[in-house]
Amino acid sequence: MAKKMDDGFSAPDGLKKLGESISSVILGKEEVVRKMLVSMLARGHVLIDDVPGVGKTTLARALARSIDCSFRRIQFTSDLLPSDILGVKVYEPAAGEFKFMPGPIFHCVVLADEINRTTPRTQSALLEAMSENQVTIEGETISLPHPFMVIATENPIEHHGTYPLPDSQLDRFLMSVPVGYPSLEREREMLTRPRSGPATLDIPSVMGAEEIISWQQKVDSVRMGPEVADYLLEIVGRTRNRPGLRLGASPRGSLALRQACKANALLEGRDFVLPDDVKDMAVPVLAHRVVPAGAGPSGEKRRTAREAIEEIVDSTPAPL
């Protein structure tokens, strides 16, 4: 059932093809692509956090184009309003009633490009959509399509004209994934590739919405044994009493880590979770949910958080 991908992880054939499609335009980032697929299978949302120019938007577009479902990109700016995302009700004189005009959030894959360039008030418009797959407009609750995934890109807070994401917004993302610079070999390959337009325009759809939903449902049947669950809880618990962390991961973080581990197991062709799944998923799932103590630039605090989770994982004995 499973085949080995170039980055060393196994995947069922359909998911392998999806991963290869995305990796064809974002070179040398197979591990980042794998985390994107894990988030999609876990019905989660992804925050891609890194400096400009490393392929954040290309990565998000590649995933969206590889799936045969509706896609919309929202460019976040300082003057963007919540209604620009959710939609508005407009009065139609001929009908004598208000008609709802849906906003771009009503698509299966939504790219929130440079999400931290808009105000916290507008950022908060995504909270209900990301946590409950619905929005409320003037007292009316409207369901969003399935599958539904928000892929947000974020530049470091130190860049001019950006706003920090509130903790409540960060907590809605299943994972925070830095892209990083490519190796010189991969960057040389980029330079020698002929390009007549955006790389993602050439990507075919390799999986439909119904198949995505089917894979997501299979994640629910992946088993996590009590020993692995205790190991997961021990890691999360240590974030709450570790010196240097002002705020540890919440129970929502525990649930998110469990779901990511189950999705990672399925992506590797297993129906059970291993301690290695917890190790692999702990940093991307938990690092953006903890708050380091003391002041400092946001980028530095994010690095401190990632290092703290790595140290917790390394020092926590795994079950045999």
Side-chain angles (χ1 to χ4, degrees):
M1 175 183 177
K3 292 184 178 180
K4 219 55 165 167
M5 288 184 72
D6 293 338
D7 66 341
F9 73 90
S10 301
D13 289 346
L15 296 174
K16 178 178 183 292
K17 188 175 181 181
L18 180 58
E20 290 175 339
S21 175
I22 301 168
S23 296
S24 67
V25 295
I26 188 78
L27 302 179
K29 297 298 177 184
E30 287 82 4
E31 182 62 21
V32 177
V33 172
R34 184 170 73 90
K35 290 184 173 67
M36 296 280 288
L37 295 182
V38 167
S39 294
M40 180 190 68
L41 292 174
R43 302 183 182 93
H45 311 286
V46 182
L47 177 63
I48 308 175
D49 177 22
D50 219 317
V51 296
V54 293
K56 300 188 301 296
T57 302
T58 299
L59 176 61
R61 282 184 174 276
L63 174 61
R65 284 189 172 274
S66 297
I67 302 171
D68 186 17
C69 57
S70 62
F71 165 71
R72 181 63 62 89
R73 172 180 176 269
I74 308 172
Q75 179 61 55
F76 279 66
T77 57
S78 59
D79 59 349
L80 195 72
L81 298 175
S83 58
D84 295 327
I85 299 172
L86 305 180
V88 294
K89 287 188 175 182
V90 179
Y91 183 72
E92 291 191 343
E97 60 183 17
F98 284 89
K99 180 180 179 181
F100 177 63
M101 307 294 290
I105 197 68
F106 286 88
H107 288 77
C108 292
V109 180
V110 177
L111 169 57
D113 214 358
E114 298 184 301
I115 189 174
N116 61 332
R117 288 199 177 276
T118 196
T119 61
R121 174 172 175 258
T122 302
Q123 292 171 10
S124 65
L126 293 171
L127 291 177
E128 182 183 11
M130 294 173 66
S131 60
E132 301 180 44
N133 275 52
Q134 65 181 33
V135 298
T136 301
I137 308 293
E138 297 182 14
E140 180 183 357
T141 299
I142 307 171
S143 298
L144 294 171
H146 293 280
F148 175 70
M149 182 179 188
V150 173
I151 306 171
T153 68
E154 178 186 36
N155 293 327
I157 300 301
E158 294 78 40
H159 280 65
H160 180 70
T162 58
Y163 300 83
L165 293 180
D167 292 340
S168 59
Q169 180 71 70
L170 286 170
D171 207 33
R172 263 59 175 191
F173 288 101
L174 180 73
M175 289 190 189
S176 176
V177 182
V179 177
Y181 293 110
S183 66
L184 291 180
E185 180 182 354
R186 289 299 192 181
E187 196 162 0
R188 185 179 297 110
E189 186 176 346
M190 293 177 196
L191 294 176
T192 58
R193 277 189 168 191
R195 281 282 179 254
S196 57
T200 53
L201 291 181
D202 300 328
I203 296 180
S205 297
V206 298
M207 187 175 290
E210 291 300 322
E211 192 173 357
I212 293 293
I213 293 172
S214 176
W215 281 113
Q216 290 175 338
Q217 292 171 343
K218 290 177 182 178
V219 170
D220 297 332
S221 63
V222 173
R223 295 174 287 108
M224 174 180 281
E227 297 87 358
V228 178
D230 289 342
Y231 175 56
L232 182 154
L233 290 172
E234 178 68 18
I235 290 174
V236 173
R238 291 191 180 195
T239 69
R240 299 168 185 169
N241 53 29
R242 177 183 172 83
L245 292 182
R246 179 168 57 86
L247 186 67
S250 67
R252 180 183 287 159
S254 301
L255 294 171
L257 182 54
R258 181 196 64 177
Q259 195 71 2
C261 290
K262 293 171 69 172
N264 189 63
L266 181 67
L267 189 61
E268 295 196 351
R270 288 181 275 109
D271 63 355
F272 56 92
V273 175
L274 294 174
D276 283 347
D277 295 313
V278 181
K279 294 177 182 179
D280 289 345
M281 295 294 106
V283 173
V285 173
L286 298 180
H288 64 289
R289 301 172 190 272
V290 302
V291 180
S298 177
E300 180 180 326
K301 294 177 79 171
R302 291 281 178 92
R303 286 191 296 274
T304 300
R306 284 194 288 266
E307 291 170 357
I309 302 301
E310 288 172 354
E311 291 173 2
I312 289 172
V313 171
D314 290 342
S315 63
T316 304
L320 298 178

